[in-house]
Amino acid sequence: MRNIIFYLFAIVLSTYSCSKEYLDVQPSNQVSAQTLFETVNGAQSVIDGVLRDMRSQHNNNHDQFGVKAIDLAIDLMGEDMAVEKFHWFGADYRFENHDAKGYRSDYVWTLYYRMIYNLNEVINHNDFLKAQPEAERQHIKAQAFVLRAYSYFQLIQLFQNTYNGSENAPGVPVYTEATTSGNPRSTVQEVYNRIVDDLDQAIALFEGSNQPRLHISHPTVHVAKGLMARVTLVMQNWETAAKMAAGARTGYSVMTADEYALGFDNYTEQNWIWGLEINQEQSTTYGSWFSHVDWSIGGYCGAGLSRKMFSRALYNRMNDNDIRKLLVDTTFMKGGLRPDKFSAGNDKGWNADYVMMRPEEMLLIEAEALVKLGKEQEAKALLTELHKNRMNNHEVIMATGNQL
């Protein structure tokens, strides 16, 4: 109950809100679970609270701004991003922040299980909405299933080895009820079973309800299929991964080079399957993705306090006409490569939106799965589609055979 009240408070501050009638009945710090789930608006408010939590700053820490902070920590553990100075995220970059009692581990665990707690409330109180239209009930429940599956998928990947070969290893606790009592660790297989089942139910509910999407942050059947594609790719279920990836990007086109260069900061300008909109009221300024990766605004990166640079090894392998390479500035500083892919300085600034899923990712998942299935020509056709949109002189490159 405490977590529900927290989310209701967050909703009042967000762009989403309950109906005036609902808000007039009881103040948000006195609402009961039964009252909350009497209407579709009330149930949607909890979903929106979870989405708000996914893009909020926590504990006044500038490296705890929701799911994109976790994404950045993961990126910094790879080899395609270099950091000039250690600042926020320095421990992640140095692999010093991943033990069981570590600062990052605690944040990841707390954020995703808080989300799961509230999503379980939505799922298990769905019967309270019997007086509401059935299609709207289904739509609410489908969103909750998607977000719960997303949370468990993030957790199991971060707290155990990959699926294949680790099916019987201890994974993370699974909760399908809103409870503060601890559960033992489920096996990796059991966690993935929960994820797949949630996504199966979400897809069926979305297709049965056929409700319009109200906002880019709301999960849809395309988002559910996209997450299923990610999950089944990890599970090496190639047939399902290819099918779901194709379904996820149906109706979405691959971005042109010009669209790609717009900065990845504004969902209205680019073709995203899923994103989290940030407005001026909700901006977390220095504690944000763009503060840490965008050189065009005066955040930690732009001010030179913790510059994120492009890997030279990767840069040298890219074709000179690849828009991704063209968005790397080699003249800004001696020896450094400044990436301008994420650039909010000429558009949204601190209010830059967070991308969560793109059709290009789904195309690549489908292509990889098709190769694993021995369907190389189909995979090549997909990669050619992406290549044609990403390269400024696709025809010349293809003619010369220089496709990197």
Side-chain angles (χ1 to χ4, degrees):
M1 179 57 62
R2 178 182 60 187
N3 285 327
I4 291 179
I5 292 172
F6 166 79
Y7 278 127
L8 284 174
F9 177 71
I11 292 305
V12 174
L13 300 179
S14 73
T15 55
Y16 315 113
S17 63
C18 305
S19 67
K20 184 178 186 300
E21 178 184 2
Y22 170 71
L23 289 175
D24 285 344
V25 173
Q26 292 181 338
S28 60
N29 65 349
Q30 296 177 16
V31 69
S32 69
Q34 184 168 355
T35 301
L36 178 65
F37 293 106
E38 282 180 350
T39 67
V40 168
N41 281 343
Q44 183 67 58
S45 75
V46 180
I47 297 286
D48 291 340
V50 171
L51 293 166
R52 175 67 184 272
D53 205 24
M54 289 171 63
R55 62 181 189 274
S56 293
Q57 183 180 349
H58 302 104
N59 307 312
N60 293 318
N61 290 323
H62 288 190
D63 63 348
Q64 295 186 351
F65 44 86
V67 297
K68 299 309 288 185
I70 297 169
D71 287 351
L72 181 55
I74 296 169
D75 286 344
L76 288 167
M77 295 179 190
E79 298 182 351
D80 58 354
M81 188 182 297
V83 178
E84 180 191 24
K85 297 178 181 178
F86 294 149
H87 205 268
W88 296 106
F89 292 98
D92 302 292
Y93 186 65
R94 298 189 300 270
F95 289 91
E96 296 174 355
N97 205 6
H98 59 272
D99 59 282
K101 296 182 179 179
Y103 171 81
R104 183 66 58 203
S105 302
D106 179 73
Y107 181 61
V108 171
W109 189 275
T110 301
L111 175 61
Y112 286 123
Y113 274 114
R114 185 167 64 235
M115 290 167 57
I116 289 167
Y117 180 102
N118 286 276
L119 294 164
N120 283 339
E121 288 280 19
V122 175
I123 292 167
N124 294 320
H125 283 92
N126 195 255
D127 287 344
F128 282 25
L129 301 176
K130 287 181 178 178
Q132 304 293 306
E134 179 65 19
E136 295 182 15
R137 286 180 56 198
Q138 291 179 352
H139 189 70
I140 291 289
K141 198 170 187 178
Q143 292 181 69
F145 275 132
V146 170
L147 293 171
R148 188 170 74 177
Y150 166 78
S151 301
Y152 277 126
F153 188 48
Q154 294 293 95
L155 284 165
I156 193 59
Q157 290 186 103
L158 291 168
F159 287 97
Q160 186 49 276
N161 295 325
T162 193
Y163 173 84
N164 192 33
S166 301
E167 294 91 337
N168 296 319
V172 296
V174 171
Y175 299 88
T176 56
E177 302 287 338
T179 177
T180 56
S181 299
N183 281 349
R185 296 171 71 178
S186 299
T187 66
V188 169
Q189 184 68 65
E190 290 169 337
V191 178
Y192 273 86
N193 288 347
R194 177 75 273 153
I195 295 167
V196 170
D197 186 64
D198 278 0
L199 292 173
D200 276 338
Q201 292 190 70
I203 291 168
L205 288 168
F206 276 131
E207 291 178 341
S209 62
N210 195 29
Q211 294 292 291
R213 183 187 221 170
L214 299 179
H215 195 270
I216 185 67
S217 64
H218 290 167
T220 65
V221 68
H222 294 92
V223 176
K225 289 180 178 180
L227 287 174
M228 185 71 91
R230 291 178 183 175
V231 172
T232 50
L233 189 74
V234 171
M235 298 176 74
Q236 299 184 13
N237 184 344
W238 312 123
E239 289 276 5
T240 302
K243 178 182 176 181
M244 289 294 159
R249 69 187 191 93
T250 299
Y252 292 90
S253 59
V254 173
M255 288 191 295
T256 65
D258 288 341
E259 290 170 334
Y260 190 95
L262 290 176
F264 282 84
D265 66 327
N266 192 336
Y267 83 90
T268 64
E269 295 179 349
Q270 295 184 315
N271 206 19
W272 298 353
I273 297 174
W274 187 26
L276 301 176
E277 182 186 14
I278 309 294
N279 60 32
Q280 185 173 1
E281 184 180 284
Q282 298 170 359
S283 169
T284 54
T285 59
Y286 284 93
S288 68
W289 169 274
F290 284 85
S291 172
H292 289 281
V293 304
D294 183 6
W295 293 60
S296 70
I297 58 176
Y300 287 113
C301 182
L305 298 174
S306 183
R307 290 169 171 166
K308 310 298 189 295
M309 294 179 290
F310 204 85
S311 162
R312 185 166 292 280
L314 178 60
Y315 179 86
N316 290 339
R317 293 187 61 187
M318 299 172 73
N319 187 282
D320 289 343
N321 293 284
D322 191 325
I323 185 60
R324 296 170 299 174
K325 189 170 186 177
L326 295 173
L327 290 174
V328 177
D329 189 339
T330 62
T331 64
F332 182 76
M333 57 184 295
K334 184 178 180 180
L337 300 176
R338 185 183 80 180
D340 290 331
K341 173 181 175 179
F342 290 95
S343 182
N346 295 322
D347 192 357
K348 292 201 73 177
W350 292 116
N351 309 328
D353 303 327
Y354 292 160
V355 59
M356 296 290 289
M357 185 182 292
R358 297 169 48 223
E360 289 81 1
E361 176 197 358
M362 294 300 115
L363 183 151
L364 291 170
I365 288 177
E366 185 180 0
E368 181 177 346
L370 289 172
V371 168
K372 296 294 186 180
L373 292 168
K375 300 178 180 180
E376 293 189 4
Q377 293 305 313
E378 293 179 43
K380 286 181 179 179
L382 290 174
L383 294 177
T384 299
E385 176 188 347
L386 182 61
H387 191 274
K388 187 174 183 178
N389 283 277
R390 185 168 284 171
M391 301 292 179
N392 285 342
N393 59 344
H394 165 77
E395 289 76 12
V396 174
I397 295 171
M398 297 298 288
T400 61
N402 181 16
Q403 299 180 33
L404 284 178

